[in-house]
Amino acid sequence: MCRSIKTLRPPVLPGEATDEDIHAAALQYVRKVSGFRAPAAHNREAFDKAVRAVARATAELLGELEVRGQSVRRGG
């Protein structure tokens, strides 16, 4: 695997996590769990679906977290 998943919330990440940050973390998670850096064609749909689901769950989590009494809510 090419890199570790990084923390995406303040104060660890200065500012708000971008959609690109969230997608990269989701991709790393699915790669790690599946054991595939890039899936074969017959697994591509399942792989991509999992990345989207993990990205949605990550965005939802970040949108609901409160850190040190402050909301970390994402815009949009």
Side-chain angles (χ1 to χ4, degrees):
M1 304 303 149
C2 61
R3 65 182 167 88
S4 297
I5 299 171
K6 65 182 180 179
T7 301
L8 297 180
R9 65 158 179 82
V12 177
L13 182 69
E16 186 177 283
T18 65
D19 289 338
E20 292 79 22
D21 293 327
I22 292 170
H23 181 267
L27 181 58
Q28 282 304 112
Y29 176 81
V30 173
R31 284 176 172 169
K32 187 66 160 182
V33 170
S34 70
F36 296 116
R37 186 180 186 309
H42 63 277
N43 287 325
R44 171 60 64 187
E45 186 177 341
F47 189 90
D48 291 345
K49 181 179 175 182
V51 171
R52 288 190 304 271
V54 171
R56 278 192 307 273
T58 301
E60 182 178 328
L61 171 65
L62 292 173
E64 295 180 7
L65 286 178
E66 289 189 24
V67 180
R68 296 184 183 159
Q70 293 184 349
S71 175
V72 183
R73 295 200 182 274
R74 290 177 34 88

